[in-house]
Amino acid sequence: PSADDPGPERAGTAVADALRTRLLALGFDEVRFAAVGPGPLAPLRAWLAAGQHADMHWMERSADRRLDPSLVLPGARSIIMLGVNYWSAALGAPAPAGTPHWARYALHEDYHDTVRPGLVAAGRVLEELGGLQAHDYRFYVDTGPVLERSWAVRAGLGFTGKNAMLISQRHGNWLFLAAILTRLSLPPDAPVPAPARAGQVGQLCGRCTRCLDACPTDAFPAPGVVDARRCVSYQTIENKGVIPRALRPGIGLRIYGCDVCLEVCPWNRFAREGRRLLLASRHELAAMPLAEILALTPERFAAVFRRTPIKRLKLGGLLRNACIVAGNLGDTRHLPALVALAAGHALPLVRAHAVWAVFRLGAGALLAEAARRETDPAVQVEYAAEAATERAAGDGRAPGGATLPP
């Protein structure tokens, strides 16, 4: 190549450097590139075959596309992986006693919405620097058929922890991920160097098992594998139905999502406050009293949670979760609200979990009349389960038939 024509390799590097600089200026805290091609990605098919995706059937329907980006964007040559740091010292302080616990990401306006303008602007930068048209790239922020964490590992954004999360050496566990598939060929970044094979689960975890040990519902059948059926985040967010009774005590005070396996990770000690250019904080939600949540009306719910990811749960789902929190909290001051929900809420989903909470607080007798009137099978199952528990206790047996200790 001549001095006026640096050649494709040098031109690619120059474009990549300029692109990275421009995307960082848009508010992304990490910008890394990966080449589309064969290689080790997440063991998606084995996870699906084991049923560990629960009822997230869209994962099955999109499996082929998730494993082959060319089915999403024919001719795709590179994936641009973007990270937005959402760690905040303000969310690290202990919540007031009796206050429900929210996943940290939920204490913002919905990141799908706030990150999207940055992706739109990134597309324009790609068109400018790479000579692309709009049909030459596609972007997603946790909504498309893309294995974001696996591509982030390949691009060197971090490594896969034993908690199955992407762990960044700079940001710990606190990154939102977005991806841009493009027909532009970019020089790939190197994966995180480590003594273990690149891409291996827990490659920089050493012997640490804090995340596995801390899970309140034993949702990790193996390091790096989450069984959604047992995961608090799945149960309190994605599950739109009844939460299994056996898992409810482990949910504790977690009303929306769970950060336990993230919080305990030692790599978080390197996390620092991000620029938050693509985020809008709603940290005040963390102080919302349980009593106020149990009393929410549809109008109040819509006003309080407008623009947050919590709005997708809808009021019925949030009240379901709030009932579990109340039952685990053990504060009898919430009994009037719980009895009212169990006896009179329009949604059987809410009534069922309110029944469980009332019995957990030792006040099942208050629902005698409501139990006689109840006609919904899902709620009747709750009453029947409580009756069986009481009979077993009276006989000196556990519900499964084992004798209880004196």
Side-chain angles (χ1 to χ4, degrees), residues 172-207:
N173 291 253
W174 313 113
L175 281 177
F176 291 133
L177 295 177
I180 305 176
L181 281 63
T182 177
R183 295 189 175 108
L184 179 66
S185 180
L186 294 162
D189 291 308
V192 172
R197 176 173 56 84
Q200 181 177 335
V201 168
Q203 70 183 69
L204 292 180
C205 295
R207 297 181 180 178

Side-chain angles (χ1 to χ4, degrees), residues 278-329:
L278 296 173
L279 300 176
S281 300
R282 290 295 309 278
H283 294 173
E284 77 280 0
L285 295 176
M288 193 171 185
L290 179 58
E292 184 177 347
I293 298 171
L294 290 169
L296 283 171
T297 63
E299 296 76 18
R300 179 64 177 158
F301 172 84
V304 171
F305 298 106
R306 181 171 176 262
R307 296 179 177 170
T308 73
I310 301 159
K311 68 181 184 298
R312 294 187 294 111
L313 187 59
K314 300 183 179 179
L315 176 57
L318 186 61
L319 288 175
R320 174 199 64 183
N321 297 350
C323 288
I324 292 177
V325 169
N328 289 327
L329 182 61

